[in-house]
Amino acid sequence: MFLQQLVNALWLGSVYALFALGYTLVFGVLDILNLAHGAVFMWGAFFGLMAVTRLDMPIWAALLVAMLGSGVLGIVLDRVAFRPLRKRNAPQLAAIISSIGASTILVSLAQGAFGAQVSRFPLDALPSQVFITGPVRVTLIQIIVFVASVVLMIALLLFMRRSRSGKAMRAVAYSGRISALLGINVDRIIVTTFFVSSALAGASGVFLGLAFSAISPFMGAPIELKGLAVIILGGLGNVPGAILAGFLLAATEVFGVAYVSSDFRDAIAFTVLILVLLFRPSGILGTAVERRA
Amino acid sequence: MKPRRFALLLLVVLSLLAAACAPPATQAPADQPTVQEPAAEPTAESAAEPAAQSSGLSGEVVVGCAHALSGPIAIYGEPIRNGIMLAAKQINDQKLLGDATLSIVCEDTAGDKAQAINAFQVLINQDKVVAILGPTLSNSAFAADPVAQEAKIPVLGSSNTAAGITDMGDYVFRDSLPESDVIPNTILVTKDKLGYSKVAVMYGNDDQFTKSGYDVFAEALASSGTEVVATETFAKGDTDFSAQLTKIAALEPEALIVSALAEEAANIMIQARQLGLDVPIIGGNGFNSPKLAEIAGPAAEGAISGAAWNIGNPAPENTAFVEAYRAEYGGDPDQFAAQAYTAAWLMATAIKNAGSADPAAIRDALAAIKDFPSPLGTYSFDENRNPVHTPVVLIVKDGQFQVFE
Amino acid sequence: MPPFLNDLWLVYRSVFEFALIGSALGLSMYVVLRTGLLSLASAGFMAIGAYVGALLTIHLHVPLLVSVLAGALAAGGIGLLLGLPVLRLSGVYLAIATIGFGEVVRVFMLNIDSVAGRTITGGALGLNNIPRKTETWHLVLFVAVLIYLFIRIDRSRTGRAFDAIRQDHHVAASMGIDVVRYRNLAFLLSALIAGAAGVFSAHLTYFVSPNEYGFNGAVRILTFAILGGYLTWLGPIVGAFLLTFLPELLRFLGPYRPIVNGVVLILAIIYLPRGLVDPRFWRKTLRRRSPPPPAAPLETSG
């Protein structure tokens, strides 16, 4: 049983990590809590679902459509909800409000378009293969999501470290004002950030839509809270930190269920989170730079 | 300022988009449907007696509907509203209330107890309704039904299953069989046929509906002498149940009892099968939705549901309802829709029998309803305004619910 | 009262009551924001107050005032215990730790449903049949007392210390202000207020259940304070009234209601990023119309 639970923890961890990748990016670069990320994630799942069911696309093409669609949605989100606040030099807390407003709108639009009912990808979108090795069972989609989260993480890290835009992003994350002085087009970098972050959200929407048959306008809310915990636990905008935190949270949850009690799963997970923060007040891999809320 | 104008423009575009997407059905009350399609109304002879020679009824009789139409609970609120609107349309087409028309005013509760109270206040004090259908959740009912009780407006819930709902007062009714009327029988029947002696139980412990279901299951299992090897819980919105199911699989139960709503149950079934847990899966009212087989696909085969309503019930009231629902909304109804549809018919019949739009008279007529032919079966209220009709045990075969025998 | 006014009062009385409860909760968030901390613990404190108060009423039939005091003290006690370790955190790290606290409280409420056959919290079933003891005037009085309290604080050493800490806690500390003590004081006040509000709300709606106080509840309270503005005590009250009344006044929109609600939220925060009650903005706007008053020194925060 232990081995299977370990697989379960790795699996759930890759789910959290996948969701957190894009989430932590906006958080790190712009230092805002974007509570509309879950809504973009949900739209990503629907973009993918529509591509498969209405346009008869294969699943890999649907994934691209979802990433593109969510990426554009992210840019729109920035234009409507965040850019006007930046222009007015608004306090960071203001972004929470406009992201809540944007999230409400996006969820209601989805409910209007697709109804509140839960839907799923067609059964044949992906073979429902189960691999059995000894005491452990793994499904194809679990392997795909695990690999995808690792690949996307590496791609994102390379992008941040090697590419011009990525380097500029890190500069903007450090200080928008200094970046502007250095001749970086801050506005363009922010648009890029939103695009990349939202495209990642869209990708995780499709992957998790395939993994769990629970696509609905409200699918973003439960994972948003977990995602928030993960990106903060990982350290502000720290991509490897978020991945690590995702696996840590998942392990706490899975082994909490396995060896303590499923009743107290979330209480155990959040208690561990608070304790970790008391010892690492800036997150697991966060640097001790103090920022204001 | 440029960005400002741009933001404004986008908001306007978004709002227009919203207007284009949003379902128009919720907007207007379904009074006097303009298109009359007698062919699409097969209930004419079955669901009710011919048009009433109503005495004191004329004009519009306004009945309120307070349900969750936005937010996550809308997943249940939508079929409920559909059921009510369908019934209202048929009731008016058949002129059940004689010269009077039944008008339904829907207010959104968003699944929130405060909004449920506010919706009740609006319906009672502003729309001057004579009765209320709703609310969706038992939680909301505990908060809002006292408002109706105080105002002496009859309130009929079609999805409140928690214990103690009708204890709130003599104006509070429900037509949803509580789990305590459904589950003991389900355990008895399935234990007899499947012969299990040790089971594992899974339920959502942060939801009133699934927790109530669990309490009844636990009692029924204990009194039937069944050993429970594990009891595992999950939270609303969970999608990954593999940790709980792995733990359960290791204990090798002979059946898995699940108190969950169809959408969660479907994912539990998929994951249980993937983890090699191939025992029968048994649940209560929550399973009884076409979504179960639609989402779980082959994993739903053999799932057993104790339920208040059987979609395949051949009674004319039921076939007429199912056909009309499919014609109107293009999909199969679930139990929420069936119970809401029945609730609207019960209320209209009470109004007709009372022969007046006086809430007190309607209350008395509603309480007096006996042996009413409905999609749920032959329906009566007991002395505590709870439903009396025969529950069923269903099993999924070839993606369809059938009676478990 | 003319009949139509009477009807209007009947329709909106409960909305008004919820707005008053919301005002108190917004103020409980405001008092911590005033010391430069972002805490989302108010919903958890409210839950503790609501359950303690409701259980006292149901089992011991104590008067409402006793319930309120007990609920506030219980929340305050937990607040003190929680504050000592977590107030070392700052920014979003404190925010997530306090969200975590709220989740822990919620899970405990769900799981101590009964002990040895006796119902405690009732778990997900909640507690029902709580007598309605809260009157509208209780809430008006409660909020009035809070306003009085905050006016007093504004004019006191404590208020000046709060403001100094918010603007820069390093500078405040170097001026000899005991930052830790004042932040704990603010956190304690927040817990007391939210606990009392919880008791009032439990006796208003006949029913409490754990899920009302989760993450969504916490975020909702936060929006009261931020949308209303957290530079003055008036802000959270205005925010609570707007956000409680708006969805009710938009009922005529049917399915478009949440969308318009979201649009209003975005527009409001874009045009008034420091909240609806932003003294600087209104002073400037009013100055354009009337002869200019002497320029007042303004704090810079954000």
Side-chain angles (χ1 to χ4, degrees):
Chain A
M1 187 176 98
F2 173 79
L3 281 179
Q4 182 66 51
Q5 294 292 22
L6 193 65
V7 169
N8 293 343
L10 282 175
W11 154 236
L12 189 61
S14 55
V15 167
Y16 289 158
L18 191 58
F19 181 80
L21 272 180
Y23 206 174
T24 198
L25 192 61
V26 163
F27 192 22
V29 174
L30 298 173
D31 209 6
I32 50 174
L33 271 183
N34 173 12
L35 290 179
H37 194 76
V40 176
F41 158 83
M42 172 270 294
W43 269 97
F46 273 111
F47 284 137
L49 183 66
M50 289 302 117
V52 169
T53 56
R54 303 262 166 95
L55 305 176
D56 283 326
M57 284 189 179
I59 192 69
W60 61 267
L63 178 66
L64 292 181
V65 168
M67 290 181 76
L68 196 68
S70 318
V72 173
L73 189 62
I75 295 176
V76 174
L77 179 70
D78 176 48
R79 284 283 158 142
V80 174
F82 299 120
R83 194 159 179 258
L85 289 176
R86 282 199 299 280
K87 297 283 167 224
R88 283 146 195 275
N89 216 357
Q92 274 132 357
L93 284 177
I96 295 182
I97 300 293
S98 60
S99 73
I100 291 172
S103 171
T104 313
I105 296 170
L106 287 174
V107 170
S108 308
L109 285 176
Q111 197 196 335
F114 311 111
Q117 303 307 312
V118 170
S119 38
R120 64 164 295 159
F121 278 98
L123 283 166
D124 55 3
L126 203 73
S128 58
Q129 182 122 25
V130 183
F131 302 97
I132 306 173
T133 44
V136 173
R137 285 162 166 267
V138 194
T139 61
L140 180 62
I141 177 67
Q142 290 180 323
I143 296 172
I144 292 177
V145 169
F146 185 78
V147 172
S149 68
V150 173
V151 168
L152 286 175
M153 177 189 76
I154 294 171
L156 185 61
L157 282 178
L158 286 178
F159 174 73
M160 298 283 281
R161 299 257 155 92
R162 298 282 162 81
S163 78
R164 272 185 75 86
S165 307
K167 285 178 188 162
M169 248 179 222
R170 286 162 62 215
V172 174
Y174 185 75
S175 164
R177 201 172 305 167
I178 294 174
S179 309
L181 288 175
L182 291 172
I184 294 173
N185 185 343
V186 176
D187 252 0
R188 220 197 65 210
I189 293 304
I190 289 174
V191 169
T192 314
T193 307
F194 265 97
F195 182 83
V196 174
S197 151
S198 305
L200 287 169
S204 58
V206 173
F207 281 125
L208 301 196
L210 281 167
F212 308 117
S213 300
I215 301 174
S216 91
F218 314 104
M219 69 190 282
I223 197 169
E224 185 149 49
L225 173 58
K226 298 282 167 73
L228 199 60
V230 164
I231 61 175
I232 294 175
L233 186 62
L236 264 172
N238 189 308
V239 174
I243 304 274
L244 204 61
F247 283 101
L248 180 71
L249 179 68
T252 316
E253 288 187 11
V254 168
F255 289 108
V257 169
Y259 298 108
V260 190
S261 155
S262 48
D263 292 350
F264 289 94
R265 180 193 64 189
D266 290 345
I268 297 167
F270 277 103
T271 307
V272 168
L273 177 127
I274 294 173
L275 290 178
V276 171
L277 283 181
L278 291 182
F279 289 101
R280 301 278 312 166
S282 304
I284 304 176
L285 296 184
T287 42
V289 182
E290 194 188 299
R291 300 196 198 197
R292 286 196 194 166
Chain B
M1 251 204 196
K2 251 180 127 189
R4 187 194 306 186
R5 212 176 303 149
F6 185 72
L8 263 175
L9 186 76
L10 265 165
L11 286 170
V12 170
V13 170
L14 269 175
S15 313
L16 285 176
L17 235 151
C21 298
T26 23
Q27 249 254 321
D31 49 333
Q32 293 163 312
T34 37
V35 195
Q36 304 257 334
E37 290 171 278
E41 302 303 328
T43 32
E45 12 95 75
S46 52
E49 302 91 87
Q53 321 78 355
S54 44
S55 37
L57 280 174
S58 60
E60 262 193 354
V61 181
V62 188
V63 169
C65 123
H67 280 290
L69 301 175
S70 66
I73 308 301
I75 187 173
Y76 317 116
E78 277 180 2
I80 288 173
R81 183 204 54 213
N82 289 350
I84 292 174
M85 289 309 183
L86 179 66
K89 186 165 172 257
Q90 294 178 348
I91 287 159
N92 285 331
D93 285 355
Q94 293 174 21
K95 300 216 167 291
L96 180 78
L97 301 182
D99 298 334
T101 51
L102 177 68
S103 164
I104 305 281
V105 180
C106 270
E107 289 296 344
D108 178 21
T109 65
D112 171 62
K113 73 168 182 182
Q115 288 215 31
I117 292 177
N118 297 339
F120 271 50
Q121 300 283 19
V122 168
L123 288 171
I124 293 170
N125 297 306
Q126 185 175 300
D127 299 317
K128 310 281 182 197
V129 299
V130 297
I132 294 175
L133 302 170
T136 312
L137 298 176
S138 299
N139 283 1
S140 304
F142 282 125
D145 285 1
V147 174
Q149 174 67 32
E150 218 167 278
K152 303 261 178 260
I153 298 289
V155 53
L156 170 55
S158 61
S159 52
N160 310 144
T161 53
I165 290 283
T166 52
D167 297 344
M168 279 184 281
D170 59 345
Y171 276 76
V172 182
F173 295 73
R174 65 169 151 195
D175 78 346
S176 40
L177 275 187
E179 300 280 38
S180 54
D181 287 2
V182 175
I183 284 166
N185 177 52
T186 310
I187 291 295
L188 226 62
V189 173
T190 54
K191 194 175 162 72
D192 182 43
K193 291 276 184 339
L194 302 173
Y196 50 77
S197 61
K198 60 170 191 174
V199 299
V201 183
M202 243 181 114
Y203 73 102
N205 76 336
D206 62 347
D207 178 89
Q208 192 156 34
F209 183 82
T210 52
K211 165 84 162 108
S212 309
Y214 163 72
D215 289 345
V216 183
F217 266 124
E219 213 182 297
L221 287 168
S223 66
S224 72
T226 313
E227 185 196 350
V228 177
V229 292
T231 303
E232 296 295 324
T233 56
F234 55 86
K236 221 174 175 46
D238 276 6
T239 45
D240 179 49
F241 307 94
S242 50
Q244 291 94 325
L245 290 167
T246 300
K247 202 172 164 187
I248 286 173
L251 298 165
E252 297 180 346
E254 290 159 11
L256 176 60
I257 311 285
V258 177
S259 179
L261 286 148
E263 294 74 18
E264 291 155 345
N267 273 296
I268 290 175
M269 286 169 193
I270 295 172
Q271 291 169 28
R273 301 314 184 213
Q274 282 169 354
L275 286 163
L277 188 60
D278 282 321
V279 297
I281 298 179
I282 301 163
N285 282 307
F287 278 22
N288 193 10
S289 158
K291 281 280 162 193
L292 187 79
E294 185 191 319
I295 297 172
E301 283 302 301
I304 295 168
S305 161
W309 170 70
N310 170 15
I311 189 170
N313 177 1
E317 295 79 24
N318 188 54
T319 51
F321 159 65
V322 174
E323 277 165 31
Y325 192 96
R326 281 184 189 138
E328 186 83 23
Y329 303 108
D332 278 352
D334 61 6
Q335 184 173 310
F336 289 106
Q339 288 174 326
Y341 172 88
T342 305
W345 267 103
L346 288 168
M347 192 58 85
T349 306
I351 293 169
K352 188 198 85 175
N353 292 349
S356 95
D358 171 42
I362 296 173
R363 190 222 83 90
D364 293 343
L366 193 61
I369 286 184
K370 284 269 175 301
D371 300 327
F372 178 81
S374 82
L376 306 178
T378 306
Y379 184 96
S380 306
F381 280 111
D382 71 5
E383 66 277 14
N384 294 321
R385 301 164 306 284
N386 280 315
V388 182
H389 66 92
T390 318
V392 286
V393 182
L394 305 172
I395 183 166
V396 178
K397 276 205 179 121
D398 303 321
Q400 300 288 331
F401 275 114
Q402 297 176 6
V403 176
F404 176 73
E405 291 163 321
Chain C
M1 233 187 314
F4 80 94
L5 265 184
N6 191 39
D7 278 358
L8 208 64
W9 168 242
L10 284 174
V11 170
Y12 290 110
R13 189 190 65 182
S14 39
V15 189
F16 179 63
E17 290 165 346
F18 293 133
L20 287 169
I21 300 258
S23 303
L25 291 167
L27 286 171
S28 90
M29 172 116 341
Y30 154 80
V31 61
V32 190
L33 279 169
R34 241 191 113 162
T35 65
L37 292 177
L38 177 59
S39 152
L40 282 107
S42 293
F45 292 139
M46 183 191 184
I48 293 168
Y51 272 91
V52 168
L55 287 170
L56 283 176
T57 302
I58 292 172
H59 294 299
L60 301 176
H61 310 287
V62 300
L64 181 64
L65 189 63
V66 177
S67 286
V68 168
L69 289 176
L73 287 176
I78 304 236
L80 268 185
L81 289 178
L82 176 72
L84 288 176
V86 303
L87 289 184
R88 296 192 295 131
L89 301 172
S90 62
V92 290
Y93 298 102
L94 177 64
I96 198 69
T98 47
I99 288 172
F101 159 73
E103 285 297 297
V104 172
V105 169
R106 191 177 70 87
V107 172
F108 270 86
M109 297 300 182
L110 283 170
N111 285 296
I112 47 172
D113 51 341
S114 60
V115 173
R118 286 199 55 158
T119 304
I120 308 290
T121 64
L125 307 188
L127 293 171
N128 60 40
N129 287 325
I130 304 168
R132 190 189 148 104
K133 285 187 169 180
T134 307
E135 302 290 341
T136 314
W137 67 266
H138 294 156
L139 296 171
V140 173
L141 187 67
F142 177 44
V143 173
V145 168
L146 291 180
I147 292 174
Y148 174 75
L149 177 82
F150 282 108
I151 291 177
R152 289 297 300 266
I153 289 180
D154 276 346
R155 293 180 186 160
S156 72
R157 237 182 116 77
T158 311
R160 286 192 295 276
F162 282 172
D163 289 336
I165 294 170
R166 185 185 69 224
Q167 281 163 39
D168 193 320
H169 67 93
H170 293 302
V171 175
S174 67
M175 291 187 328
I177 294 172
D178 187 343
V179 175
V180 175
R181 219 193 89 213
Y182 277 107
R183 282 187 163 168
N184 273 300
L185 174 67
F187 202 62
L188 173 66
L189 272 177
S190 166
L192 289 170
I193 296 170
V199 182
F200 280 120
S201 80
H203 292 82
L204 192 63
T205 55
Y206 307 93
F207 176 76
V208 291
S209 77
N211 292 333
E212 298 154 26
Y213 309 105
F215 179 54
N216 289 340
V219 171
R220 197 175 143 74
I221 298 171
L222 179 68
T223 56
F224 294 161
I226 301 179
L227 188 71
Y230 49 91
L231 298 174
T232 65
W233 53 262
L234 185 59
I237 298 176
V238 171
F241 268 80
L242 178 80
L243 288 169
T244 312
F245 268 89
L246 188 66
E248 295 305 321
L249 298 176
L250 294 179
R251 276 194 177 279
F252 70 95
L253 289 169
Y256 310 115
R257 181 169 76 129
I259 296 175
V260 176
N261 212 5
V263 170
V264 172
L265 225 59
I266 295 182
L267 289 179
I269 203 70
I270 286 177
Y271 287 102
L272 287 163
R274 278 165 191 80
L276 298 170
V277 184
D278 174 0
R280 190 172 7 178
F281 172 85
W282 292 112
R283 225 171 280 153
K284 228 170 28 185
T285 312
L286 294 178
R287 206 183 299 155
R288 262 185 234 150
R289 304 228 174 118
S290 54
L298 293 165
E299 37 71 50
T300 49
S301 85

